[in-house]
Amino acid sequence: MSDLIIDADGRARCAWAGDDAEYRRYHDEEWGTELRGDRPLFEKMSLEGFQAGLSWITILRKRPRFREVFHGFEPSVAAAFGPDDVDRLLQDAGIIRHRGKIEAVIGNAALAADMADGELDALLWSFAPATHTPPSSFAEVPAVTPESEAMSRELRRRGFRFVGPTTMYALMQSSGMVDDHVAGCWRAAA
């Protein structure tokens, strides 16, 4: 697979964006764009956890329903979910029906809700590398980095779940902590 595709609009994009309109929009407008704030980062962490073992496009297509059932991923609201909510969510075909992942979001929400305002944002961004060289090709894009391993270790130490180092590197990519748009992509850092 080539590292880049040229779309009908004439722009070169990372090939993973493919020809799906929603995936291209995500590539162009979100992936690698700096994301700040406790709630948006909690949402991204939760969705990346749901993605483990699945394709991101599956999560992206289900994201509106995830947002609905988890009340915008507001930690204080999701933290109050109980066993009946878990059972209800396990019946909802609009989301990924995985008990462990659902319970992880609820447990992680409680941990995030107990943090001071801005603390989750500061914690996650504290692992952003001081320097990052965008890749020349997909072959250069790592699955994990020392920073994502350290982020994962600290989150797990605090009790967070579904925050492995690969998942946390995906979070770093999607929230703009690193820029992994390949060279030649119109979104790649100059």
Side-chain angles (χ1 to χ4, degrees):
M1 173 168 101
S2 172
D3 292 336
L4 295 171
I5 56 170
I6 307 298
D7 209 345
D9 63 6
R11 284 185 164 162
R13 288 180 173 82
C14 299
W16 62 259
D19 61 1
D20 182 279
E22 180 61 15
Y23 229 7
R24 283 193 316 272
R25 187 211 57 76
Y26 177 74
H27 169 275
D28 290 358
E29 299 173 15
E30 291 185 58
W31 196 73
T33 300
E34 184 175 314
L35 181 67
R36 300 302 294 241
D38 295 337
R39 195 217 50 79
L41 286 167
F42 176 71
E43 175 182 331
K44 189 70 76 166
M45 181 188 338
S46 299
L47 293 174
E48 294 290 358
F50 271 110
Q51 186 271 330
L54 303 170
S55 69
W56 181 249
I57 192 63
T58 299
I59 303 305
L60 202 54
R61 289 179 180 145
K62 291 180 178 283
R63 182 167 63 173
R65 184 65 181 154
F66 274 118
R67 286 176 169 166
E68 186 177 343
V69 301
F70 284 105
H71 301 274
F73 288 95
E74 186 58 51
S76 62
V77 176
F81 284 15
D84 289 344
D85 296 297
V86 173
D87 291 341
R88 174 181 48 82
L89 293 171
L90 286 169
Q91 301 305 311
D92 193 324
I95 66 167
I96 304 302
R97 295 177 289 183
H98 184 288
R99 180 179 295 278
K101 292 178 181 183
I102 291 168
E103 290 175 344
V105 169
I106 296 166
N108 292 349
L111 295 168
D114 284 344
M115 298 173 91
D117 193 34
E119 186 178 353
L120 181 62
D121 178 286
L123 173 65
L124 296 176
W125 275 89
S126 74
F127 294 99
T131 61
H132 178 76
T133 303
S136 296
S137 68
F138 281 133
E140 293 179 12
V141 177
V144 299
T145 63
E147 293 87 356
S148 74
E149 289 174 336
M151 178 189 285
S152 172
R153 198 168 33 253
E154 178 57 21
L155 288 168
R156 284 184 285 170
R157 185 190 72 74
R158 292 172 179 242
F160 286 86
R161 296 183 307 162
F162 278 91
V163 291
T166 301
T167 300
M168 290 304 92
Y169 192 69
L171 170 72
M172 295 174 91
Q173 292 172 306
S174 66
S175 64
M177 293 177 198
V178 296
D179 178 4
D180 276 346
H181 288 281
V182 298
C185 173
W186 79 272
R187 285 286 321 275

